[in-house]
Amino acid sequence: VQLVESGGGSVQAGGSLRLSCAASGLTIRNYCMAWFREAPGKQRERVSYISSYGHTIYLESVKGRFTFSQDDSKNALYLHMSSLKSDDSAMYYCAAGRPLFGECKNYNYWGQGTQVTVSS
């Protein structure tokens, strides 16, 4: 299984970026897929994910600014980020896992991450 993120970079506050995650070795429609981020000195956060009921869930601080999408035909997922803030600076990871007791909580497969840096 391989998850490969791309699309990170440096951007000024208020700007936009689109992250991509290409999956191989698994079929993403059969897995719980998510985007996480981790900044130095901070806990890892689950930014957005598709619940086992098919709902897209967002971290409160990114609601209205980030959009999670998934293209099953390409076996890829995306995170479009707009109105970026300095607090969004982090390493962003895509992750995959099987539902556990009907819920998307455990992620067994992780990409290597793509860095997002937002300057104010």
Side-chain angles (χ1 to χ4, degrees), residues 49-108:
Y49 68 102
I50 304 291
S51 75
S52 55
Y53 299 99
H55 302 143
T56 306
I57 310 297
Y58 295 95
L59 187 68
E60 189 64 33
S61 62
V62 308
K63 280 182 181 178
R65 301 188 298 118
F66 289 15
T67 303
F68 180 116
S69 61
Q70 183 168 316
D71 187 337
D72 291 345
S73 68
K74 295 183 179 180
N75 215 37
L77 58 154
Y78 308 93
L79 186 68
H80 186 265
M81 308 183 294
S82 61
S83 302
L84 282 162
K85 306 174 182 180
S86 56
D87 286 349
D88 296 319
S89 296
M91 185 72 79
Y92 283 72
Y93 301 89
C94 67
R98 291 288 197 178
L100 183 64
F101 302 113
E103 296 201 25
C104 291
K105 290 183 176 180
N106 295 313
Y107 297 89
N108 307 108

Side-chain angles (χ1 to χ4, degrees), residues 17 21 23-24 28 33 37 39 41 43 45 52 61 65 67 84 90 98 110 116:
L17 283 173
C21 175
S24 58
I28 63 171
M33 302 300 300
R37 68 185 182 188
Q43 280 195 325
E45 299 178 302
S52 55
S61 62
R65 301 188 298 118
T67 303
L84 282 162
R98 291 288 197 178
W110 294 81
V116 171

